[in-house]
Amino acid sequence: MKIAMMLCLLVLTAETSWAAFDDYQRFRKGMYEFEAETQYFKTDANYTDGGGSYQKLLYGQSFEIFNFYLKSSYDFSKNSSFYGSLDLANATSNGLTTARSNSSVTGAYLGYAYRPYNEAFDLVTDFNVLIPFQKTDQNTDTAINSEGVIEATGLLRAQKDFTTFSALGYAGVTYRQARSSLVPWGIGVEANYAKWAWGGKVFGYQSVTDDPDTKNKIQRTIVTDRVNASSLYFYSVNPSVVDSEAWVRFKFDNAWALTVGGGTTITGSNTAAGFHAGATIKYSWDSEPSYYMKPGVSTQEDGLSSERKVPKFKEETDDGVNQKLFQKKGITPGAPAPRPGGDMTPAADNVAMKKAGPQPTPAQIEAGDGGEVQLKLKRKRKKKPTS
């Protein structure tokens, strides 16, 4: 029932760009992460409108784009994170007679991720918004390096860490202003070792609503033919794609990691066919390392600090020896100490204790003024002999 309720939270996902080496979401309260990521994509073909096949761009034309992302994130709690990024893009189209280029800061991502369930596996909801810094002009004479529209994307991730490797899958919805809406999806695995890791995934998106220009597609084609060497990487009508990616991550220490990888498109429709490659350098800073040292706080990163994984100490007494031999006679373990006079019944809390009368003893103990204890012995009287 709980899982079903979590699935109802299918609020949307994540990144539809070619970049995404870190799909697996990990949370650690107080953790800051800073990334610099580069991605390169080149194409000389387009997938056809019917899908399943592609056609080369006429006359040996090509299109390529180089993206540089500046990313940062902060784990607000053990189950939530805020993140953002800036995208700098340089696009170059090699047309029949002219080469065009365009370099600019295209937009910014702002997002929030939350993990509502983390028992048998993790469910992570992720929502972000892309704010463009420029719009696509139909009269432009430079290469197009972004869609230039507002995008609200999100997804639900299901992921599981199996210690030596991790697996994940996701699906969601992307709303695009003045474009078709998309369903992004993906599935992948990553094997983890002490100093490095490797992984791969298959991912993509599918148009699920019609573009406003579906019936007037020729107007979009005129623009892409003129400035993007006929490539449909941007500004296409109802695009869909199936892509692939593989990567290797090198862990220098707890703070620094380098990831390199690449992949190629598999199939699609109304979009570019090509290959891509990239690299990411990440720096992580734990601002609250003492948080997970507090009693009762557990963390998935360190098994020894988890109360669920470290058993509590319990003395082993089942060794064949009768433990009653080590107990005082007449006293039950855990019972209150007896009161003077031999009465074993505990006194009530509101009853005053009455001092017992003097008991006949062979000796009297007296405390001197100097704090010393003196013993005073009494002479035992001899009985008179009877006649």
Side-chain angles (χ1 to χ4, degrees):
M1 181 64 180
K2 186 175 181 180
I3 297 178
M5 293 176 63
M6 295 304 104
L7 290 174
C8 292
L9 295 176
L10 182 56
V11 276
L12 317 173
T13 186
E15 303 161 2
T16 56
S17 63
W18 303 111
F21 291 133
D22 264 339
D23 275 325
Y24 198 99
Q25 295 285 316
R26 292 178 172 85
F27 300 90
R28 183 179 177 88
K29 179 177 172 60
M31 179 66 73
Y32 288 88
E33 291 185 344
F34 305 93
E35 294 182 58
E37 179 175 342
T38 61
Q39 287 289 332
Y40 172 79
F41 183 87
K42 184 172 183 178
T43 175
D44 61 358
N46 287 328
Y47 288 109
T48 62
D49 186 25
S53 62
Y54 64 87
Q55 293 178 343
K56 288 285 187 178
L57 301 183
L58 297 177
Y59 311 112
Q61 298 180 107
S62 65
F63 176 85
E64 57 188 350
I65 184 169
F66 180 89
N67 291 92
F68 181 70
Y69 301 94
L70 291 175
K71 302 180 179 181
S72 64
S73 66
Y74 171 67
D75 291 349
F76 186 74
S77 71
K78 295 186 295 182
N79 294 303
S80 62
S81 177
F82 295 96
Y83 62 90
S85 68
L86 282 175
D87 180 16
L88 295 80
N90 174 263
T92 301
S93 62
N94 299 298
L96 178 61
T97 58
T98 306
R100 291 177 170 85
S101 63
N102 183 14
S103 298
S104 65
V105 181
T106 62
Y109 278 99
L110 295 175
Y112 174 73
Y114 175 68
R115 180 174 59 185
Y117 176 84
N118 63 343
E119 295 180 9
F121 56 91
D122 289 353
L123 286 178
V124 181
T125 60
D126 194 341
F127 177 82
N128 68 60
V129 175
L130 169 62
I131 303 172
F133 293 164
Q134 60 191 23
K135 295 183 178 180
T136 302
D137 185 359
Q138 290 187 352
N139 299 317
T140 183
D141 197 40
T142 60
I144 301 174
N145 63 355
S146 69
E147 285 293 338
V149 296
I150 296 175
E151 298 183 19
T153 60
L155 99 101
L156 183 69
R157 302 177 187 273
Q159 57 185 35
K160 174 71 174 178
D161 192 346
F162 295 94
T163 306
T164 57
F165 76 96
S166 56
L168 65 92
Y170 64 84
V173 177
T174 300
Y175 165 78
R176 303 189 301 164
Q177 180 188 27
R179 300 287 190 274
S180 61
S181 294
L182 309 175
V183 171
W185 59 271
I187 184 170
V189 295
E190 182 177 85
N192 298 295
Y193 303 93
K195 295 295 183 180
W196 67 289
W198 63 270
K201 69 174 182 176
V202 177
F203 65 106
Y205 56 82
Q206 176 75 35
S207 287
V208 291
T209 64
D210 282 338
D211 192 288
D213 290 332
T214 299
K215 296 181 179 181
N216 193 22
K217 185 177 178 180
I218 188 63
Q219 294 298 325
R220 297 276 194 89
T221 304
I222 291 173
V223 177
T224 54
D225 285 350
R226 184 177 73 249
V227 299
N228 273 20
S230 300
S231 173
L232 297 180
Y233 188 80
F234 292 118
Y235 209 55
S236 61
V237 176
N238 300 337
S240 299
V241 72
V242 178
D243 203 346
S244 64
E245 188 172 60
W247 64 86
V248 177
R249 178 177 295 109
F250 303 96
K251 307 170 187 177
F252 300 113
D253 51 34
N254 292 332
W256 292 94
L258 172 67
T259 306
V260 294
T264 182
T265 60
I266 299 174
T267 187
S269 62
N270 295 322
T271 191
F275 66 91
H276 49 93
T280 299
I281 184 73
K282 178 192 290 187
Y283 172 73
S284 302
W285 174 50
D286 188 356
S287 65
E288 299 184 38
S290 60
Y291 174 79
Y292 289 94
M293 298 179 183
K294 297 178 182 179
V297 176
S298 63
T299 173
Q300 295 180 348
E301 288 83 352
D302 185 0
L304 293 178
S305 64
S306 174
E307 291 187 347
R308 293 178 296 178
K309 297 180 180 180
V310 179
K312 295 183 178 179
F313 173 77
K314 182 178 180 181
E315 183 180 2
E316 178 61 54
T317 58
D318 188 12
D319 53 4
V321 178
N322 186 0
Q323 298 298 317
K324 293 182 179 180
L325 298 176
F326 302 98
Q327 299 175 3
K328 292 182 180 181
K329 293 183 178 181
I331 299 179
T332 304
R339 297 182 7 242
D343 187 2
M344 300 293 292
T345 304
D349 293 339
N350 59 353
V351 176
M353 295 284 292
K354 183 177 180 181
K355 186 176 180 181
Q359 301 294 327
T361 59
Q364 293 180 344
I365 301 176
E366 297 181 356
D369 294 339
E372 297 179 355
V373 177
Q374 299 177 352
L375 297 179
K376 190 174 182 180
L377 303 178
K378 289 185 177 181
R379 183 184 300 273
K380 186 176 181 182
R381 295 180 180 181
K382 296 181 179 181
K383 294 182 179 181
K384 295 181 178 181
T386 57
S387 56

